Amino acid sequence: MTEWQRVCELEALVPDRGAAALVGGHQVALFRLSDSGEVHAVDHLDPFSQANVMARGLVGSRKGVPTVASPMHKQSFDLRTGQCLDDPEVSLQVWPTRVADGWVEVQVVARSRAA
Amino acid sequence: MMNQKKKLAVVGAGMVAHRLVEAMVERGADEAWDIEVFGDETRPPYDRVALTSFFSDRDPEDLLLGDGELWKRPGVRLYRGSIVSGIDREAKQIHARNTTFDYDRLVLATGSYATVPPVEGSDLPGCFVYRTVDDVAELRAWVLDREAVLGRKVKGAVVGGGLLGLEAAGALTALGADTTVVEFADWLMPLQVDQAGGGALRRIIEQLGVSVRTSTATSKLRAGRDGKVTRMQFADGDKIPADVVVFATGVRPRDELAREAGLELGERGGVLADEACLTSDDSIFAIGEVAHIAGRVWGLVGPGYSMAEVVADRLLGGDATFEGADLSTKLKLLGVDVASFGDAFAATNGSLEVVYADPTAGVYKKLVMSDDAQTLLGGMLVGDASAYTNLRPMVGRALGSDPTAWLLPEGMEPPSGSSLPDDANVCSCNNVTAGTIRGAVTDHQCTDIAAVKQCTKAGTSCGSCVSLVKKLMETQMAEEGLEVSTALCEHFSVTRAQLFDIVRVSEISTFSELIEKHGTGRGCDICRPVVASILGSLGKGHVLEGENATLQDTNDHVMANLQKDGTYSVVPRIPGGEVTPAGLIAIGQVASDFGLYTKITGGQRIDLFGARIEQLPEIWKRLVDAGFESGHAYGKSLRTVKSCVGQSWCRYGVQDSTTLAIDLELRYRGLRSPHKLKLAVSGCARECAEARGKDVGIIATDKGWNLYVGGNGGFTPRHAQLFAEDLSTEELVRAIDRFLMYYIRTADRLQRTAPWLESIEGGIDAVRAVVFDDSLGIAADLDAAMAAHVDTYEDEWAATLADEKKLLRFASFVNAPETPDPDLVYVEERGQRRPADDEERAVLIAGASIPVRDAEVTV
Ligand code: SRM
Ligand SMILES: Cc1cc2nc3c(=O)[nH]c(=O)nc-3n(C[C@H](O)[C@H](O)[C@H](O)COP(=O)(O)OP(=O)(O)OC[C@H]3O[C@@H](n4cnc5c(N)ncnc54)[C@H](O)[C@@H]3O)c2cc1C
Ligand code: SF4
Ligand code: FES
């Protein structure tokens, strides 16, 4: 079943700066890119440090790939796929997003994570 | 099985012995040889060439050669404070420490001793020679003590106006003595320069306040009533007062062991050895200043090092030879350049001399050319030796252009890195050719100057060749298609310094405009903060203003320091470490109300840990109301100016160090820079503020302030170096303003001041010239930039609290702005909280019923 959760107005997201959100009990990091206008959502949990900080990372690009770098120890992740670009074994979960009526919505999906 | 290793004994633990052992170890010869080194000094081998720096850099440890690991290797032993008293060539034994040591091969590396002329009274207390760290330490203690006892400036006399004498004169002057140099010959440095050069040198040195007497013989020294030297008398009957006397009249090889053992000596001393460095006993080598090879003894370290390499090779069965060496010298005496190289005295038949002299500027330069004026044979440079590094490797080669051009003040375009032939000797101290340096790039993958130095040893002794080594390396890298990578990152192909200039001279004040015009892509976690810092240094807006906010690392963005669990620490500024009891109570109250872990930092202030992002504005509101402001513990900017209590309370303080520290901290607070900046001010030479560990360190003197720069703690600790002495407060502040601004403009990203000083062409001297002599003509610019910083400073936190929009950034969740991160877990320790570790978390989250270990939780 797909369920979309309304999170915030698009205008509440500063371009190229992340924001954390609570979506269905999960901590999600939202990014609105200045050039493409796209909104991406990935885990807020940094898999390396186990701290909820990804939304506070710097947005950028690597060889054209839109990225966010963990503010803790600077590993970069592909914002579109969640893949860590510095370690092929690690990735962030990606959450589908859409903008409806000026509101950002995130699809609530079951989280698959083994501890 | 018995140890099959052979025994090598080395007598003398000086510079050349050190190089021998180093060369043996590098070639793996310590597999076949047990090496025992005997030295009568109490220190491990140190850099005698740099002895004079002991006065500005007073820690003898800084002079030690190598990192000390050499002496800890199995099979290598250093006996310090052990004089070797005899050699038994029959038994192949030496005597030391009241016992005998066997050897298979023996190396004599006993160096020289300083000679003292037969002058009556030369053994009076207060007479010194200038050869060892102990000599220099005693000399220093003597001068300081006499100054205190006599209550006036000490009068110093140096006998000998050669290389060592002028070094000694420099040292005495640095200690505050009125100094006279007495030279027997008709001019100074007669072995290195001709009469005209000596005359130029004399004028410069006299201008520095040192008196010079040439053609003068010292005849007698007289003691005062206290038995200490007080007067120097000359053969012509004249006399001068002298509270301290340094003899620098020459050195003589320490060949007494060899003489007693019946080895052949050179006519004028020195242990006679062949081109294999073997003496008349084929089990005994002689190297360094004690050796007489190829017709002479060699009084410089470079030839000694070559001999050490020869012996290391021979001990491994090789057939290397020593056939003489380059006796070129370049030194900086009392801040005056003197260089002499090749056939400086035009001894070659038919040679031509090209001279350039500018007596008003105190410059004398001479090139000696072959009879057809094509080939450079040698030369001497007094007053300005900047051309030395480029000229010396050209000896024996066609200069390829009008030789006079090399002598003009601007100098010629030096040979570009590629035009120098492979066999040209670039580093004469360590005998490294241009080819070897190119090889370091091509065969050993060295891509920065530090790697090349380590790999080839070029530039590791006197340092005069470093700029040329760097040029060679860069040219070679370019030829290999290796990027001499000065690019900031994939988005900007320029360096940080270039980017700084682009922003400074253009109207650009946003990242997007900058990257559109001068870069590619969207930027990254490297270039974004760099641009933020540059915009910050140039005063282009609040760090959270508009687009600037997207450039900041989280620390700068929320103006606090990120901790391991995602919370932040808060550090209010406490200028100079001075805080009132009421201030302390206010901080304590905030910490207590918000449950923050509290710790005194290493920077003389208080850190409050564990603040959640959404709590930061509330916490800061309380702190700002109590009169505090941001301490910039985040961000690359001024951290603290550490102080000692100084004159106000301390019984030794000679200046008000606390007030100066506070003033400086308030002046430079918030200044964005390539890396963090730390300063300190000590109220006297006891140095309780550890100023010499800081980027800028200030130590009070009874005349003002001594300024040190380039100190660093961290991974590679460095002592700050003396930059200027006895400055008034006003002069001091101007010097620091310029130093900091010049650093901010030109340093690389994340380059502290110590590596920056090393990387800058001309090193600390060049920076000193920029700061004090305005050598680049930018001083007014630097002053204006600092004035602008001081004028426009505002507390970032106060400004943020006053702006509703900026406060939105501190929401924990965009859809639940005040909900705390639900995953934070703490435990108590010593009465305060700290983040739980993994095990503690497992227990605390899952509840007490789950066993502590092997907890496997699936969510
Ligand atoms: C809090 C403190 C340790 C303490 O409990 O006392 C500390 C804590 C941190 N230090 Fe430090 N350093 C602290 C004094 C020092 C000192 C001692 C001093 O300043 O006298 C040094 C050595 C001196 C020096 O810098 O030359 C020091 C050398 C470093 C370095 C190595 C710098 C280098 O040049 O190699 C780093 C890493 C860096 O900056 O890249 C670092 C980085 C850090 C960071 C910022 C690491 C980080 O990014 O999280 C730490 C976080 C601070 C925080 O959360 O508040 N810290 N750090 C000290 C804060 C002083 C202050 O009041 O601001
Ligand atoms: C102030 C100063 C400035 C200088 N500047 C320069 C310069 O700019 N460029 C340059 O090339 N050279 C310079 N020199 C010269 C340079 O220091 C020497 O050439 C070099 O140190 C020679 O090395 P060495 O190992 O042969 O002798 P040393 O370094 O003198 O080492 C010999 C060691 O052997 C020890 N020893 C002697 N006899 C015994 C014994 N019987 N038992 C045990 N130990 C013994 C001595 O105590 C000494 O420690 C300078 C020298 C001085 C003093
Ligand atoms: S080095 Fe020590 S004081 Fe500095 S950040 Fe790391 S743990 Fe903290
Ligand atoms: S010439 Fe002295 S270190 Fe290279």
Side-chain angles (χ1 to χ4, degrees), chain A residues 7-8 15-17 20-22 27 33 35 51-53 56 58-63 66 69 71-72 74 113 115, chain B residues 490-491 522-523 525 528-529 549-550 552-554 557 562-566 568 812-815 821-823 857 859:
Chain A
V7 178
C8 62
D16 290 344
R17 191 85 238 183
L22 284 169
Q27 299 194 29
L33 300 184
D35 46 2
N52 292 304
V53 294
R56 305 181 211 151
L58 280 174
V59 165
S61 67
R62 228 191 241 188
K63 312 231 154 58
M72 200 65 81
K74 312 288 176 206
R113 184 173 73 138
Chain B
E490 87 174 58
H491 307 101
R522 189 183 278 115
D525 56 308
R528 280 177 177 254
T550 70
Q552 311 290 353
D553 260 331
T554 185
H557 189 229
L562 181 67
Q563 302 300 312
K564 61 194 275 188
D565 64 350
Y568 292 85
S812 50
F813 298 102
V814 63
N815 55 353
D821 176 351
D823 293 348
V857 190
V859 185

Side-chain angles (χ1 to χ4, degrees), chain A residues 16-38:
Chain A
D16 290 344
R17 191 85 238 183
L22 284 169
V23 178
H26 300 302
Q27 299 194 29
V28 170
L30 295 173
F31 298 91
R32 173 185 171 195
L33 300 184
S34 59
D35 46 2
S36 63
E38 285 165 18

